């Protein structure tokens, strides 16, 4: 009997414990989206549109309906599953901003659902299903079905409350941790092993479209939310600075900023004891946090066996104006980052790197046009002392609390942390302070007494305003 043609493809959002934890919490119920049947392919080439960056693989279990299901009970739902197969819920998330949750543009493009051979589901315990994803020969995902939050039977019963699931319909059961970005030239292989039955495999190669995307509608856009989705993190910017505030923070000193913070009752905001690779460069950006824990061999091997570690994932998820901030417990007997990953952070638009541990390849890092703040140079690998474990969580760096999305400002003296909610007003006030100090310094150098100038008296306010006007900085 020929295999049936599906009438619909249904995707499940968060359904693996590891992925849900990365994204910030376990869902209480499954959520779904639809994909066109034209997205189904047998593998081969996955065509990435020109001008896009955020192509992402997602190894998944494809649940294929064997007999029509409508309003079935949970204990009977398994009988309606005919087959299981390996699948790749591929997406290009540069279009995520336009989908508003539908996933149609990001995941519904032709060929974006490669599916392998269908294996019979009779008598199969879904907990024993093993999904693996290999990218360019490197294992990235390796998980069994017992990590599913909602079983295939639960998904079938739930969906059948609202719609008829026809023979051949495909339910993509969600993806575990280990998803990531791919690019033209990369290869992705997803396999689904069913003990005693066989293995379904689907292989794809990423190629770039040979024609530019026509500008009829939404065009690619890299957003922090899309980057966070691709790399299994959470968006970290509660607010964004205005252009005026950003300009001000690129001018004022960290010393002036600490005074402004002190006036607002915030006294532990300057990161002490750090050196800087490029004292000639300023740093203004938003905190992307990474936490290292002490080395333990069994945990290290487990982390390495489950795809890219947290250090590589957070670096690859950086967007413009991010500052990578690392908590290394002030242990500097090895590096926490080297020149290759620092160069990648720079290429992605990163504004700076901060660690209370060491850095490797210090001369190479110093040659990059990105400031790095660190405790010491050390050539040893991070894996001799650290395990990178958490991304975008509150951390303590050099004894100072850093929240994801905080604004970090760095100069030749060091780094100061500004709470995002206060950064805008602090930037304005700090710039005004520095302008007044520049006026006072100019007059003192000209031979005047500092009295009435520092601090500025009411009698000299008009002189100061005239000075601002001559500099083109009047209000």
């Amino acid at each position: 009997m020929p295999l049936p043609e599906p009438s619909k493809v249904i995707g499940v959002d968060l359904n693996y414990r590891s992925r849900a934890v990365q994204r910030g919490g376990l869902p209480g119920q499954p959520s779904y989206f639809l994909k066109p049947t034209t997205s189904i392919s047998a593998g081969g080439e996955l065509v990435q549109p020109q001008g896009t960056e955020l192509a992402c693989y997602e190894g998944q279990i494809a649940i294929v309906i064997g007999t029509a299901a409508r309003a079935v009970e949970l204990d009977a739902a398994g009988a309606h599953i005919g087959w299981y197969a390996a699948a790749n819920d591929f997406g290009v998330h540069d279009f995520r901003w336009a989908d508003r949750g539908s996933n149609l543009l990001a995941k519904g493009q032709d060929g974006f659902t490669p599916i392998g051979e269908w294996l019979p589901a009779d008598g199969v315990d879904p907990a024993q299903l093993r999904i693996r994803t290999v990218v360019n020969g490197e294992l990235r995902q390796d998980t069994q079905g017992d990590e599913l939050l909602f079983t295939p039977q639960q998904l079938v019963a739930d969906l059948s409350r609202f719609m008829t699931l026809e023979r051949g319909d495909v339910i993509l059961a969600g993806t575990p941790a280990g998803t990531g970005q791919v690019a033209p030239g990369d290869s992705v292989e997803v396999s689904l092993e069913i003990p005693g039955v066989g293995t379904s495999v689907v292989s794809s190669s990423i190629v770039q479209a040979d024609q530019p995307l026509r500008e009829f509608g939404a065009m690619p856009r890299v957003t922090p939310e899309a980057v966070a989705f691709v790399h299994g993190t959470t968006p970290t910017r509660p607010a964004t600075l205005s252009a005026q505030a950003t300009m001000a923070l690129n001018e004022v000193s960290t010393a002036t900023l600490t005074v402004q913070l002190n006036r607002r009752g915030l006294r532990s905001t300057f990161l002490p004891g750090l050196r800087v690779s490029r004292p000639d460069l300023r740093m203004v950006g938003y905190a992307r946090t990474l936490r290292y824990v002490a080395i333990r061999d069994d945990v290290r091997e487990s982390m390495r066996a489950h795809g890219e570690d947290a250090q590589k994932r957070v670096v690859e998820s950086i967007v413009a104006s991010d500052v990578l901030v690392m908590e290394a417990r002030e242990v500097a007997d090895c590096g926490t980052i080297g020149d290759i990953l620092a160069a990648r952070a720079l290429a992605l638009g990163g504004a700076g790197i901060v660690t209370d541990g060491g850095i490797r390849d210090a001369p190479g890092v110093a040659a990059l046009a990105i400031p790095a703040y660190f405790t010491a140079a050390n050539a040893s690998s991070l894996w001799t002392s650290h395990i990178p474990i958490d991304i975008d969580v509150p951390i303590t760096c050099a004894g100072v609390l850093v929240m994801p999305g905080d604004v970090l400002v760095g100069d030749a003296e060091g780094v100061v942390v500004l709470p995002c909610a206060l950064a805008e007003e602090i930037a304005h006030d700090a710039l005004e302070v520095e302008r007044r100090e520049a006026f006072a310094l100019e007059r003192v150098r000209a031979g005047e007494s500092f009295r009435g100038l520092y601090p500025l008296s009411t009698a000299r306010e008009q002189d100061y305003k005239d000075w601002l006007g001559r500099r083109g900085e009047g209000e």
Side-chain angles (χ1 to χ4, degrees):
M1 179 185 298
L3 294 175
E5 293 286 337
S7 65
K8 49 190 167 290
V9 180
I10 302 170
V12 181
D13 188 16
L14 292 179
N15 196 24
Y16 278 86
R17 185 173 303 275
S18 58
R19 177 74 169 172
V21 168
Q22 280 186 343
R23 296 274 301 281
L26 304 181
Q29 300 84 28
S31 61
Y32 307 97
F33 59 92
L34 285 170
K35 299 183 72 170
T37 57
T38 51
S39 70
I40 292 178
S41 71
E45 293 186 343
L46 283 166
V47 181
Q48 180 176 341
Q50 290 187 23
T52 62
E53 300 177 21
L54 300 179
C56 177
Y57 62 87
E58 294 184 27
Q60 305 218 5
I61 299 168
I63 305 161
V64 186
I65 300 299
T67 57
R70 179 71 170 98
V72 299
E73 297 297 329
L74 180 59
D75 59 2
H80 294 272
I81 300 173
W83 303 269
Y84 292 111
N88 181 0
D89 185 19
F90 188 72
V92 176
H93 295 278
D94 309 66
F95 298 103
R96 194 173 180 82
W97 70 270
D99 275 342
R100 296 174 177 83
S102 74
N103 282 324
L104 182 63
L105 298 181
K107 289 189 168 187
Q109 299 181 36
D110 286 355
F112 273 23
T113 314
I115 297 180
E117 178 187 358
W118 295 8
L119 302 176
D122 278 351
V124 171
D125 177 3
Q128 300 302 309
L129 298 174
R130 187 169 188 176
I131 192 81
R132 292 187 180 95
T133 305
V134 174
V135 179
N136 298 331
E138 179 182 347
L139 183 65
R140 297 288 182 84
Q141 295 179 296
D142 187 358
T143 307
Q144 292 203 165
D146 58 1
E147 204 207 332
L148 286 167
L149 298 172
F150 310 106
T151 66
Q153 293 90 335
Q154 287 176 290
L155 298 175
V156 170
D158 183 26
L159 287 165
S160 75
R161 295 184 301 153
F162 307 105
M163 66 190 73
T164 300
L165 299 174
E166 303 283 2
R167 176 178 162 85
D169 284 354
V170 174
I171 304 170
L172 301 173
T175 193
T179 61
Q181 198 167 339
V182 287
D186 290 338
S187 63
V188 181
E189 180 180 277
V190 182
S191 61
L192 176 68
E193 179 186 351
I194 304 180
V197 177
T199 302
S200 171
V201 179
V202 62
S203 300
S204 306
S205 57
I206 316 303
V207 300
Q208 188 175 69
D210 55 11
Q211 297 291 329
L213 189 66
R214 288 180 286 183
E215 299 184 17
F216 295 154
M219 296 299 288
R221 181 185 301 175
V222 175
T223 65
E225 291 76 16
V227 172
F229 180 87
V230 168
H231 296 281
T233 61
T234 54
T236 58
R237 294 186 188 176
T240 302
L241 294 171
S242 67
Q244 293 82 357
T246 302
M247 185 181 304
L249 293 176
N250 270 299
E251 294 182 22
V252 301
S253 69
T254 55
T256 299
L257 291 171
T258 58
V259 171
Q260 291 298 316
L261 287 159
N262 286 341
R263 289 176 177 173
R264 290 164 173 82
L266 300 172
R267 294 178 174 80
S268 299
T269 57
F270 186 82
L271 279 61
L274 302 185
R275 301 162 56 185
V276 59
S277 64
R278 292 290 302 269
D280 57 314
L281 298 178
R282 298 279 308 194
M283 180 183 79
V284 177
Y286 305 88
R288 295 294 310 283
T289 61
L290 171 63
R291 185 170 73 95
Y292 290 95
V293 295
I295 196 71
R296 205 177 85 182
D297 290 343
D298 61 323
V299 178
R300 176 187 63 188
E301 295 310 313
S302 175
M303 299 287 287
R304 285 179 159 179
H306 286 84
E308 283 189 329
D309 59 66
Q311 182 208 40
K312 292 184 175 64
R313 286 193 291 110
V314 72
V315 168
E316 196 60 33
S317 72
I318 283 172
V319 297
S321 300
D322 279 350
V323 175
L324 176 59
V325 193
M326 292 169 276
E327 174 189 333
R329 311 178 316 286
E330 301 186 54
V331 173
D333 61 3
C334 64
T336 55
I337 196 168
D339 59 353
I340 293 176
L341 293 189
R344 181 58 176 158
L346 173 62
L348 292 169
I353 295 166
V354 181
T355 176
D356 62 3
I359 62 167
R360 300 179 73 194
D361 314 305
V365 173
L368 298 170
I370 184 171
Y373 295 83
F374 59 99
T375 301
N378 197 307
S380 297
S381 164
L382 71 90
W383 293 100
T384 62
S385 292
H386 301 301
I387 298 173
I389 198 163
D390 283 327
I391 297 171
D392 294 332
V393 296
I395 63 170
T396 301
C397 184
V400 175
L401 174 63
V402 182
M403 301 293 291
D406 278 347
V407 175
L408 273 73
V409 179
D411 58 14
E413 194 164 11
V415 179
V416 66
V417 180
L418 309 182
C420 198
L422 297 175
E424 192 80 23
E425 67 175 74
I426 287 174
H428 173 81
D429 291 353
L431 184 59
E432 177 63 15
V433 167
E434 292 216 340
R435 285 172 171 171
R436 289 173 178 247
E437 290 180 355
F439 169 67
L441 182 60
E442 182 180 297
R443 300 317 308 152
V444 169
R445 283 175 173 171
E448 294 187 37
S449 169
F450 65 85
R451 293 188 177 94
L453 291 170
Y454 187 69
L456 191 67
S457 67
T458 303
R460 300 301 300 269
E461 280 282 354
Q462 189 57 50
D463 292 340
Y464 168 63
K465 290 179 180 179
D466 293 342
W467 177 81
L468 283 178
R470 290 193 297 272
R471 289 162 55 98
E473 297 178 0
E475 295 181 353

